[in-house]
Amino acid sequence: MKQREAHSPRKLNRHVLKTQLTYHGLMLPACLLLILFSYVPMFGIIMAFQDFIPTDGIFGSGFVGFDNFVHLFTLDNIQQIMFNTLYISIMKIILGLAVPIVFALLLNEVRSRLFVRSVQTIVYLPYFLSWVILAGVFIEILSPSGGAVNHVLKLFGIDSIFFLGDKEWFPNVMIITDTWKSFGFGTIVYLAALTSIDPSLYEAAKVDGASYFRQMFHITLPGITPIVVLMTVLSIGGILDAGFDQIYNLYNPIVYETGDILDTFVYRLGIKDMMFSLSTAVSLIKSIVSFVLIVISYRLAYRLTEYKIF
């Protein structure tokens, strides 16, 4: 009887709470900061339904209902901005999956552990650099006058290209440079997945006379398929986040037609043009769509790979 009481759910929960009280205390400052900077500002969503005037404040500005949303969809460039956002984001997702997988497969074949670790460190370093720093680097490298890339092109008889000032080149430069910056992180994830594959499968395949490509298609790729599916599904939630930091630091009015995305559009509406209500309406729509996509992506992740956060 005493043993039953000692292991009752209520007493067990009390014991867990006491042992983990320190950890909960450590989480408290982070939770307070999250509430202060992420949840309290959400009250400003009300501006999307107002004709917000800064001098009158939120409580003094008049309500206009859904007029801001109606006005948003009548803007001439909103369709182009949506296309730019989706194109850049989807291409980043595709290359962000393909390049790390291929690189991880190639690196996995190298037998020198020292070489592998060195390469991992080198390709992973750009992931920690901000776009403020990298923007300055790429502006110099891609300069049409003295940039290293155009200097190489001239050696092959190709005229200089204004990569950051040409509306046709700009979105592709954003996709390629973002892939270069972030593929090191994905490489480490897929290398970790490759190490979990049972080596005996490869030994059995070699005994049966399977070539390298047969081993790759029948053992390696199926072995990392769950993590590939997981990474793909989880990236769906951020499909409307085409990279504000990167594009804001590299774009200019010349390439607005193909380089302007939702986040940069909201920035110009709210900060430069002071159209606070309209910019809030755009942000609210983006947040709602992103929330729905995140819910769907986690549902898919659970169904396909049994991944769940809680």
Side-chain angles (χ1 to χ4, degrees), residues 118-143:
S118 301
V119 172
Q120 279 183 311
T121 303
I122 292 171
V123 300
Y124 194 34
L125 281 176
Y127 184 78
F128 295 99
L129 299 178
S130 71
W131 276 111
V132 177
I133 297 172
L134 290 177
V137 174
F138 283 118
I139 288 172
E140 290 296 326
I141 293 176
L142 300 175
S143 171

Side-chain angles (χ1 to χ4, degrees), residues 65-116:
F66 291 93
D67 288 356
N68 290 316
F69 298 92
V70 174
H71 178 56
L72 169 64
F73 289 105
T74 60
L75 295 176
D76 296 333
N77 57 344
I78 189 63
Q79 293 181 350
Q80 182 64 42
I81 291 171
M82 282 298 302
F83 174 79
N84 296 342
T85 304
L86 291 173
Y87 172 73
I88 293 174
S89 182
I90 291 173
M91 291 305 298
K92 283 183 177 180
I93 291 173
I94 293 173
L95 286 183
L97 289 168
V99 174
I101 291 173
V102 173
F103 193 78
L105 290 174
L106 294 174
L107 206 58
N108 190 53
E109 296 303 314
V110 179
R111 295 292 171 252
S112 173
R113 294 296 94 188
L114 177 62
F115 178 81
V116 171

Side-chain angles (χ1 to χ4, degrees), residues 46-53 61-71 277-278 281:
I46 196 173
M47 289 192 297
F49 305 94
Q50 292 180 317
D51 180 17
F52 179 74
I53 301 173
S61 300
F63 282 87
V64 294
F66 291 93
D67 288 356
N68 290 316
F69 298 92
V70 174
H71 178 56
S277 295
L278 189 59

Side-chain angles (χ1 to χ4, degrees), residues 100 103-104 107 119-121 123-125 128 182-195:
F103 193 78
L107 206 58
V119 172
Q120 279 183 311
T121 303
V123 300
Y124 194 34
L125 281 176
F128 295 99
S182 58
F183 87 95
F185 173 79
T187 299
I188 292 178
V189 172
Y190 295 120
L191 278 173
L194 288 170
T195 58

